[in-house]
Amino acid sequence: MLLGSTAAAAQQLPPPADAPAAGSAQGDVSVTIYNNDVALVQDVRQLPLGKGEARQNFPDVSAAIRPETVSLVVPDAAIVEQNFDYDLLSPSSLMEKAVGETITLVRTNPATGAETRDRAKVLAVNGGVVIEVNGHVEVLRDDGLPVRVVFDKVPDALRARPTLSVTLASSRVGTRPATLSYLSRGLGWSADYVALFDDKSGTVDVQGWVTLKNTSGTTFSNAKTLLVAGEVGSTDDDNGDYRPRQRRVTRIAPGTESAAREQLGDFYLYPLTERTTIADKQTKQVSFLDAKGVAASSGYRFENAWLGSSDEPRSAQSVLRFRNSGAAGMGDALPAGVVRVYVRDARGQPQFVGENRIEHTPQGSTIALPTGDAFDVKIQPTTVSRVKQSDRWRTAVRYKLTNARSRPATVELIQGGLDWGDVRVVEDSAKGERRNAGTYAWQVPVPANGSAVVTATFDTRY
């Protein structure tokens, strides 16, 4: 390709990496986003300043800014006063600010197209606009008739964009960088995982995606973006979020491996490799994990409540187990998020089999992820007897496990509720273990198209 001139060639060059987007007043923007609806925005802008006091506007700050967190550093200049103007220009705000002022009504005759103009005083804006025109009072109705309102000017209190205004006292003349930092709501991120499990090879492929959401009212252009995994302390947590309780709890045995990832105090950092524009009212996804052939296995789990008996067999939970260790093929600390599990069918097509949530998980952890209830593996717990002996109770429980699958299954059978009343296991028909103060567990093999029975006797104070 021949270039006609040096100027023409220059026009085809991409903008520098830290160039702000056209129409934006932002400078070199960096955004650090945390998990609990808080983000740190740092914006470096070049300010031409004279000597003495001057008012400087910073448009395109977040509309969800926390003004009390603003920090501005300008060489050879001191901050005298700062204000955040968040009353944005809109048809309704323009009319509200016009109360007591005079406007122009432009009416169009639908038959002839002729326009007439009348001056009117805005009396009130309370569920409708009340005006005084030509000596009488009327309501400006929104009934589809060709009427428009012309305002003489935009009130000083209204801004087209969220704007921070600062009065600076400069000791010299010249352009210099101004570093604006503040905390904002409305920016958040979460992790989502896609796990493709291969039962034959005993492996799982795991992809991790970061989902960014921006509801701050402002677009952050060409921003360096850093994500922080962990719950930072904040006194601004009254957002009323409700999280339903998980019915199937993901079990995690915490790992002890150090992840090869940058940390900030006790939090892990996930920087995006390239600058990105985080547009307002946008959801954006970026890949951060792609692990192949991670060692994994499927199994079953059933946890019975204390004195829990059932008239009918109940389904065991289907559980996917894997480790996020380097030896297993996936060495990284995993931020909290939802893992969606897929398994290939007989035709080789990936099919969705369930999902569950993991919390922030250290590297080297063993993850047992319940994905649903098993169709063919059932357990029926029965309290066989309960006899009082002196000041204690002797309770016998029977667990019947059935397997309608064409291959054997191993069920992790857990008796819960043992963390009260000084509960002791007197005897059990299979070798089990006390996991903690509240649970006792057995690994029970159940033959293909068969059943197994476990019995246990507990000695309790109540």
Side-chain angles (χ1 to χ4, degrees):
M1 181 179 66
L2 297 178
L3 300 180
S5 66
T6 303
Q11 292 175 1
Q12 298 181 33
L13 293 176
D18 60 351
S24 172
Q26 295 169 355
D28 184 7
V29 179
S30 301
V31 181
T32 303
I33 306 176
Y34 302 84
N35 287 128
N36 52 338
D37 191 31
V38 62
L40 171 63
V41 179
Q42 300 179 77
D43 185 356
V44 181
R45 308 186 187 189
Q46 299 296 324
L47 296 186
L49 296 174
K51 188 175 182 180
E53 287 193 8
R55 183 185 179 91
Q56 182 68 45
N57 290 331
F58 291 84
D60 294 315
V61 297
S62 169
I65 189 175
R66 293 170 57 183
E68 72 277 7
T69 68
V70 170
S71 170
L72 180 64
V73 178
V74 184
D76 301 320
I79 300 175
V80 178
E81 181 183 277
Q82 67 183 30
N83 301 284
F84 176 54
D85 301 322
Y86 54 87
D87 202 355
L88 298 182
L89 181 63
S90 68
S92 59
S93 64
L94 194 58
M95 187 62 77
E96 289 170 359
K97 296 296 182 184
V99 173
E101 304 293 332
T102 301
I103 59 175
T104 299
L105 298 180
V106 181
R107 293 187 170 97
T108 303
N109 188 315
T112 64
E115 287 188 347
T116 59
R117 292 174 175 256
D118 295 300
R119 296 291 283 174
K121 184 178 181 180
V122 181
L123 300 179
V125 180
N126 299 311
V129 181
V130 182
I131 57 176
E132 181 183 344
V133 57
N134 297 329
H136 58 272
V137 176
E138 64 179 76
V139 175
L140 187 62
R141 297 181 300 173
D142 184 14
D143 53 8
L145 292 177
V147 178
R148 57 192 175 93
V149 177
V150 178
F151 298 85
D152 295 339
K153 64 176 183 177
V154 175
D156 293 337
L158 292 182
R159 300 281 185 177
R161 297 175 288 180
T163 300
L164 181 73
S165 60
V166 180
T167 301
L168 294 173
S170 174
S171 61
R172 63 177 175 87
V173 177
T175 299
R176 68 209 77 166
T179 303
L180 176 66
S181 303
Y182 57 87
L183 296 179
S184 174
R185 306 177 191 86
L187 283 163
W189 75 281
S190 61
D192 291 276
Y193 302 88
V194 176
L196 178 59
F197 175 61
D198 187 337
D199 194 19
K200 292 181 180 179
S201 65
T203 60
V204 63
D205 298 339
V206 183
Q207 287 183 311
W209 294 88
V210 164
T211 302
L212 299 173
K213 291 185 179 180
N214 182 5
T215 58
S216 69
T218 303
T219 293
F220 297 92
S221 304
N222 204 31
K224 289 184 288 188
T225 305
L226 181 66
L227 310 177
V228 179
E231 302 294 330
V232 297
S234 174
T235 59
D236 192 50
D237 291 336
D238 56 343
N239 51 19
D241 286 347
Y242 169 71
R243 293 182 181 178
R245 184 178 180 85
Q246 295 289 326
R247 186 169 72 89
R248 304 182 185 94
V249 179
T250 299
R251 305 289 182 182
I252 296 177
T256 55
E257 296 180 16
S258 297
R261 177 173 290 281
E262 183 184 356
Q263 287 185 267
L264 179 68
D266 289 318
F267 309 117
Y268 279 104
L269 305 183
Y270 295 80
L272 302 193
T273 55
E274 297 181 358
R275 288 175 177 262
T276 187
T277 293
I278 310 171
D280 183 36
K281 297 179 178 64
Q282 180 188 65
T283 298
K284 177 190 291 284
Q285 284 195 308
V286 181
S287 174
F288 77 95
L289 176 69
D290 190 4
K292 304 291 187 184
V294 178
S297 64
S298 62
Y300 303 95
R301 184 174 73 208
F302 181 86
E303 183 166 351
N304 190 46
W306 177 241
L307 299 181
S309 288
S310 177
D311 295 333
E312 299 292 335
R314 292 155 54 192
S315 292
Q317 294 177 0
S318 302
V319 178
L320 176 65
R321 294 182 176 89
F322 60 95
R323 293 187 68 204
N324 65 326
S325 66
M330 186 176 67
D332 202 352
L334 302 180
V338 175
V339 183
R340 294 172 177 87
V341 181
Y342 295 78
V343 175
R344 294 189 188 277
D345 61 20
R347 291 162 295 280
Q349 289 291 108
Q351 301 292 348
F352 176 68
V353 295
E355 66 181 33
N356 216 322
R357 179 177 174 81
I358 62 172
E359 299 304 322
H360 299 303
T361 305
Q363 183 173 323
S365 300
T366 299
I367 301 168
L369 186 83
T371 57
D373 291 338
F375 194 94
D376 290 325
V377 180
K378 305 282 188 179
I379 296 90
Q380 184 175 6
T382 304
T383 301
V384 178
S385 64
R386 182 165 165 80
V387 179
K388 189 170 185 179
Q389 298 179 343
S390 184
D391 61 342
R392 300 184 68 83
W393 290 85
R394 185 66 55 93
T395 305
V397 183
R398 181 177 183 268
Y399 313 88
K400 184 178 180 180
L401 300 88
T402 56
N403 176 19
R405 293 170 61 88
S406 60
R407 58 181 180 176
T410 299
V411 178
E412 182 184 25
L413 176 62
I414 302 172
Q415 177 60 62
L418 307 184
D419 49 354
W420 63 276
D422 186 22
V423 178
R424 304 166 190 169
V425 180
V426 177
E427 61 179 356
D428 53 346
S429 62
K431 180 63 177 177
E433 63 173 342
R434 192 72 175 254
R435 292 277 179 83
N436 50 49
T439 61
Y440 194 85
W442 300 267
Q443 295 293 333
V444 185
V446 188
N449 303 117
S451 63
V453 174
V454 174
T455 60
T457 302
F458 301 92
D459 183 74
T460 65
R461 185 175 298 171
Y462 304 107

